[in-house]
Amino acid sequence: MRRLGDIATPLLWFLLVGLTSSVKIIDNGLAPPEIVHTPVSTKPRCKVFAPPLDLLFILDSSGSLREKFQDEIDIIRRIIKHVTIGKSATRVMLIQFSGTQHLEFNFEKFIDREELLAALDVLRHVSGITRIGGAFEFALQQLKDPGNGMRDGTVPKIVYLLSDGRTHDFPKDWQMADILRREIPNVDIWAYGTGDYVAMTALANYTQSEVKIVTNENLQKLEPQFDRYRGTEICEQQPGTKKFLVERVLGNINIHPEAVRVALITYSGQSFVHFKFNSFLYGNNTSVQGFVKNIRSIKGTTATNVALMDAFDLLTSKDPSTGIREGVPKMALVMTDGHSHKSPKDISEKMRASGIIMIAVSVTPRPLVDEAELQLIAGDAKRAFTPPNLHDFEGEFMKHVGFGCDGIELPPDAKPQVRGATDVKCTENSMSIVVRTQRALQGLMYAHNYHDEPDCMIRKTDNSREIQMTFTEGTCGLVKTPSADGHGYHFNITVILQFHPLIITRADQGLDMSCFVPSVVPRQELDQAVFKNAADTQCVYRLHSCEVDQHFLETPNYSRFKDFPDDAYVFQEMSVFKFPGDGDLLFHCKISLCNMQDKNAPCNQNIPPKCPKKTPVLPVRQKRDTEQWMTQEWRSKQIRKRQIELKNRSRRQIVETKAGYYMTLQVETR
C-alpha cells in the first residue's frame, strides 16, 4: 500500500476559505484506526416546503434480532429517504435499546438527509435482552428533555418502534406506551414488526391499530404511510466543475503539511495564483473545500498555456517559501473544456518531461469539449477524462494520492470508507475537540502524559459515541506556537482514547490534533520564538550485540547497512510484550557512537559486527527469577529501589566510553 500524501498537487481552474484544523491518527500498530474523517458536506443550500413532524425511532438491538438488525436499519433508511428532512419539516431522533437504552442523536443533531443516512452507517448491534417497556420509559424522558429539541404540541410526533414485540418486562411495555401517549401532546405510536416471528398482539397494544404496523408481509405500505410528510425541496444548482472538485478530488485526498500539499490557480485570459503550497490557511480539506464552494467564475478567453506556465514555475521553484518539497512527486490537475486561445502543447510536454504527472478533466459533454486538447495536456488518453469515462477517474487519480494498491484495481467511482468523525475548533487560548467513535467508549479520553490530572481527562461510563473536551493554553500539554510569518498561532496536542476503563488494549487510539488560529502575533513574542525543524537535528545509533532472548528482540539486521551505504540503517521487528501485573516496562541500554568518517577508527572494523551463533535462551531458564519476581514483597522492594534511583540520576548518562568508539551513552526509556 502506498503511503498517503507524498504528492504536491496544484489544481488548475476552480478551487478555494476557512481556518486550518487537522487530525492525524496515530496507528498503534496493533489494530486499524477506528476514527477517521467525515468528508465535508457539499450539499447545496435548499428551501424546504413540507409539513412538520418530530419522528422518533426506537430501534430494537437485542440479541435475538442480531441477524435482523440490518433489516431494521434499511427500514429507517427508506423512511428518511421518503420524507422531507429539514428544520421546519421532518426532524429525527433515534434511540437504540436492548436491556439498556442509548440516545444515538436528538432532533437537533441532524437537519440534512445525507447526514442522517451517514449517521446510520456507524450504528452497531448492541445485543442483550429485550426491554420494550424500558425503551418507552427512556423515550418519554428524552422527549421531555428541552435539550433534545422536541417542538410544541402543534407539531405531530410519531414514535416508531422497530421490534418483534417480544419483551422481558411485560406488562411495563404497554403501560409505558399508554403513559407516553397521555403525557406527550399530539403523539402517535407506529411499528415495524421485525423478523419472521412477530408478536402482533403486543405491537397492536402499543399502536392501538394494526393499520399502523408494517411487517415483511406488507412492506409496500411503508412509504405511503408517510406521504403526508413528503414535501418539496428547491436547491441551488452547483456548477459541475466545482462539484467534481469538491467531491471527487478533494474528497479523496488528505490535505496536510505532512501529506498532500495543495496550490491553486484559476484562469481565463490570465491566470491567478490563489495560494501556494505553504499556505497555513488552506492546509486541510475543510478550508480548501470551503474556498472552492465560494469561488466565482471568471469571464474571458481561455489561456490554458499561460496557467500551465505559472504552474510549471511554481512546481519547479527552488524557493522554499513556496512550500515546494524536494523528492516529492508533483501533479498538475487541469480542469478545462479545452479550446485554449493558444495551444498548451509545448508547455505540457515540458512539464511531463520534468516528471510532473499531468491529468486533464472536463465535465462538459460532447460536442462542447475539445477532447483532443485534453489528451494533448495529459499526454496519455488514460489521464484525460470527459463525461463518457469520468467513472474511471478515481481508478487513475488514487494511484498517485495513496489509496491505490499495487495489483488491485479500484472499482468505478471508488471512495474511501468513512466510519466516524473528529472535529477540532480553536480560539486564541484554547482547543476544543469532538470525537465520534464507531462504538461507545466506556473508558477514558485524556491528553497524552496527563492521564492522572482531572482537568485533562474524561472518564466515560454511558453509551454515547460522542466525546467532547476543551483544553486551555498552559494546561494538559497543549502546545501553542506562533507562526514564523507572525500571522497566527499553531496549537497541537495528542489525545488518547482508551476504550477500557483500566487497561490499554489493541483497540485504543492516539490522535495528534492541530489547528491554526489567525491572529496578529506581537513583535516581541515573535522575536523570542525559536523556529526549528526536525531536520536540524540528526541522531543516529547502531546496535552491535546479539540478542539475549529471541522472544523479545532478535539480532539486528545489517543488510541495509551494507548494501545501501548512502541510506544505511539497521533494523529488526519485534512483537509487543509486557509483564503481567505491571503497567510499565523499563529499558536500559548502552549506545556507543562511532565516527564513521574517521577511517582509522577501530570501531569501523566492527560494523557490522560478526556475531557468533548462540544457543537461544528459553523462558524456562528464568523460571526461578520469575517466581521470585511475582511475589508482592519482591516487587514492592524493586519499585522503591527504582524510584530512589530515578530521583538520583538523569535518564541519559555519559559512562565509560567503549574502546575504539567516540562516545558511549547509557540510555533509559520506558
Side-chain angles (χ1 to χ4, degrees):
M1 179 76 75
R2 294 182 178 90
R3 176 179 173 271
L4 176 62
D6 282 340
I7 296 181
T9 312
L11 305 180
L12 306 182
W13 184 241
F14 280 117
L15 218 23
L16 321 161
V17 163
L19 297 181
T20 297
S21 68
S22 67
V23 176
K24 177 181 173 183
I25 297 179
I26 305 172
D27 189 350
N28 63 10
L30 300 179
E34 292 191 0
I35 302 172
V36 296
H37 288 284
T38 298
V40 175
S41 172
T42 58
K43 184 177 180 179
R45 291 174 294 181
C46 300
K47 291 184 178 180
V48 174
F49 303 91
L53 171 67
D54 284 346
L55 176 58
L56 167 58
F57 290 106
I58 301 181
L59 175 61
D60 189 341
S61 187
S62 58
S64 60
L65 296 180
R66 179 182 298 276
E67 301 302 323
K68 303 297 180 182
F69 184 75
Q70 193 57 51
D71 293 344
E72 294 178 312
I73 298 296
D74 291 341
I75 293 296
I76 298 175
R77 283 181 167 278
R78 287 175 58 173
I79 296 173
I80 290 176
K81 289 180 179 180
H82 188 73
V83 300
T84 300
I85 304 295
K87 283 185 177 180
S88 60
T90 297
R91 300 195 302 173
V92 177
M93 183 160 79
L94 191 145
I95 292 172
Q96 190 172 183
F97 78 97
S98 55
T100 58
Q101 308 83 32
H102 171 63
L103 176 63
E104 296 290 348
F105 50 82
N106 62 21
F107 291 120
E108 295 186 337
K109 187 66 176 180
F110 303 112
I111 56 171
D112 177 88
R113 178 181 290 109
E114 297 305 317
E115 291 178 349
L116 276 169
L117 295 175
L120 296 179
D121 287 340
V122 299
L123 290 181
R124 294 295 180 267
H125 185 265
V126 176
S127 194
I129 64 174
T130 308
R131 298 188 191 274
I132 296 177
F136 279 135
E137 183 178 31
F138 183 77
L140 179 61
Q141 296 169 355
Q142 300 305 313
L143 289 171
K144 288 182 175 181
D145 185 346
N148 287 329
M150 184 182 76
R151 288 172 282 188
D152 61 31
T154 63
V155 176
K157 285 89 177 167
I158 293 178
V159 175
Y160 201 96
L161 175 68
L162 299 98
S163 175
D164 60 3
R166 301 175 182 274
T167 184
H168 286 75
D169 58 357
F170 175 84
K172 183 178 180 178
D173 53 340
W174 61 265
Q175 292 173 344
M176 289 307 307
D178 286 343
I179 294 174
L180 189 150
R181 259 189 297 267
R182 290 198 305 268
E183 297 191 8
I184 301 298
N186 204 1
V187 70
D188 207 352
I189 300 177
W190 296 5
Y192 163 66
T194 310
D196 302 322
Y197 304 100
V198 180
M200 287 296 296
T201 302
L203 296 184
N205 282 336
Y206 310 148
T207 63
Q208 297 187 337
S209 172
E210 290 192 4
V211 175
K212 301 173 185 176
I213 303 173
V214 171
T215 67
N216 292 338
E217 300 297 325
N218 62 343
L219 274 180
Q220 72 279 3
K221 296 182 179 180
L222 179 66
E223 284 86 356
Q225 286 184 322
F226 290 90
D227 280 347
R228 76 186 78 170
Y229 302 108
R230 183 179 175 87
T232 58
E233 298 178 58
I234 302 175
C235 302
E236 295 177 337
Q237 294 296 318
Q238 288 188 306
T241 300
K242 186 186 298 187
K243 180 177 173 61
F244 184 91
L245 269 175
V246 169
E247 294 184 356
R248 301 181 64 175
V249 178
L250 299 178
N252 281 325
I253 62 178
N254 176 25
I255 300 176
H256 188 276
E258 297 178 4
V260 178
R261 295 186 185 179
V262 176
L264 172 68
I265 298 175
T266 61
Y267 70 95
S268 57
Q270 298 179 340
S271 68
F272 179 75
V273 180
H274 291 273
F275 53 81
K276 300 179 182 180
F277 298 106
N278 62 337
S279 173
F280 290 115
L281 276 180
Y282 309 111
N284 66 13
N285 291 62
T286 302
S287 56
V288 176
Q289 285 171 320
F291 200 103
V292 170
K293 288 186 284 186
N294 290 295
I295 201 169
R296 296 292 180 263
S297 301
I298 306 174
K299 295 183 179 180
T301 60
T302 303
T304 305
N305 62 305
V306 174
L308 288 179
M309 285 190 284
D310 287 344
F312 178 76
D313 291 342
L314 182 58
L315 287 166
T316 57
S317 173
K318 301 298 183 182
D319 183 358
S321 67
T322 63
I324 203 74
R325 292 172 288 181
E326 293 186 7
V328 174
K330 312 296 188 295
M331 174 188 289
L333 177 63
V334 187
M335 299 203 69
T336 178
D337 60 0
H339 308 292
S340 180
H341 182 68
K342 183 178 179 181
S343 173
K345 178 177 182 293
D346 292 342
I347 183 62
S348 297
E349 290 178 347
K350 185 177 181 180
M351 293 177 75
R352 295 197 303 271
S354 67
I356 299 171
I357 302 164
M358 303 290 288
I359 295 180
V361 178
S362 175
V363 296
T364 305
R366 297 170 179 169
L368 303 179
V369 60
D370 186 343
E371 296 180 70
E373 183 170 304
L374 265 67
Q375 293 188 22
L376 182 149
I377 294 171
D380 188 334
K382 293 181 179 180
R383 294 180 181 170
F385 299 93
T386 59
N389 70 334
L390 274 181
H391 60 277
D392 294 326
F393 172 76
E394 282 81 4
E396 178 64 30
F397 180 62
M398 290 186 190
K399 293 178 182 178
H400 309 289
V401 297
F403 286 108
C405 298
D406 294 333
I408 298 179
E409 293 295 328
L410 292 173
D413 304 310
K415 294 181 180 179
Q417 184 180 7
V418 176
R419 293 177 291 166
T422 306
D423 300 329
V424 181
K425 294 182 180 179
C426 282
T427 66
E428 288 195 0
N429 58 9
S430 69
M431 173 189 284
S432 298
I433 63 173
V434 179
V435 178
R436 290 180 288 278
T437 58
Q438 195 176 46
R439 57 187 175 87
L441 185 152
Q442 295 189 340
L444 309 176
M445 182 171 80
Y446 54 86
H448 185 47
N449 293 328
Y450 292 85
H451 62 280
D452 53 353
E453 295 192 14
D455 293 339
C456 306
M457 178 269 289
I458 290 179
R459 185 180 300 275
K460 288 191 78 281
T461 57
D462 58 21
N463 291 322
S464 171
R465 294 192 177 94
E466 184 170 292
I467 316 106
Q468 302 183 35
M469 196 167 186
T470 298
F471 303 98
T472 56
E473 180 183 353
T475 66
C476 307
L478 179 64
V479 178
K480 177 183 177 182
T481 55
S483 62
D485 57 12
H487 291 168
Y489 292 92
H490 295 280
F491 286 84
N492 179 263
I493 194 169
T494 298
V495 175
I496 306 299
L497 294 178
Q498 182 177 314
F499 282 81
H500 190 279
L502 298 177
I503 61 173
I504 297 174
T505 69
R506 69 192 304 268
D508 299 340
Q509 295 297 326
L511 300 178
D512 183 80
M513 299 185 171
S514 61
C515 59
F516 177 77
V517 177
S519 179
V520 177
V521 180
R523 185 71 244 178
Q524 183 179 1
E525 183 178 352
L526 200 61
D527 292 340
Q528 295 174 350
V530 177
F531 304 101
K532 190 173 183 180
N533 296 322
D536 295 340
T537 303
Q538 294 184 356
C539 180
V540 179
Y541 64 88
R542 305 287 184 242
L543 304 177
H544 300 290
S545 62
C546 298
E547 80 278 5
V548 175
D549 188 333
Q550 82 281 4
H551 291 276
F552 293 154
L553 179 65
E554 295 183 2
T555 298
N557 188 323
Y558 279 82
S559 60
R560 183 81 189 182
F561 188 94
K562 180 179 180 181
D563 298 337
F564 301 89
D566 294 332
D567 186 25
Y569 59 87
V570 179
F571 64 96
Q572 185 56 265
E573 295 182 355
M574 65 181 295
S575 298
V576 176
F577 65 90
K578 68 185 293 291
F579 295 104
D582 198 344
D584 291 334
L585 287 177
L586 203 59
F587 293 88
H588 300 273
C589 61
K590 289 184 178 180
I591 301 174
S592 295
L593 306 180
C594 180
N595 184 2
M596 301 297 293
Q597 295 179 348
D598 183 0
K599 302 301 181 182
N600 298 321
C603 56
N604 269 311
Q605 307 301 319
N606 299 327
I607 304 177
K610 299 177 176 59
C611 300
K613 293 185 178 181
K614 296 178 65 177
T615 304
V617 181
L618 299 178
V620 68
R621 294 178 60 182
Q622 301 177 4
K623 181 177 180 181
R624 180 176 301 174
D625 290 341
T626 302
E627 290 175 347
Q628 182 190 33
W629 177 84
M630 289 298 288
T631 64
Q632 184 62 40
E633 181 181 358
W634 185 89
R635 288 180 58 208
S636 299
K637 289 181 179 179
Q638 293 301 312
I639 291 174
R640 287 195 297 271
K641 180 180 177 182
R642 292 300 306 138
Q643 290 174 340
I644 295 173
E645 290 177 355
L646 288 174
K647 289 181 180 179
N648 295 333
R649 62 188 183 86
S650 63
R651 291 193 168 212
R652 175 178 295 181
Q653 300 180 2
I654 298 179
V655 295
E656 183 180 353
T657 301
K658 185 177 180 179
Y661 287 80
Y662 172 71
M663 180 186 294
T664 297
L665 302 175
Q666 182 166 303
V667 179
E668 178 182 292
T669 185
R670 70 174 63 234

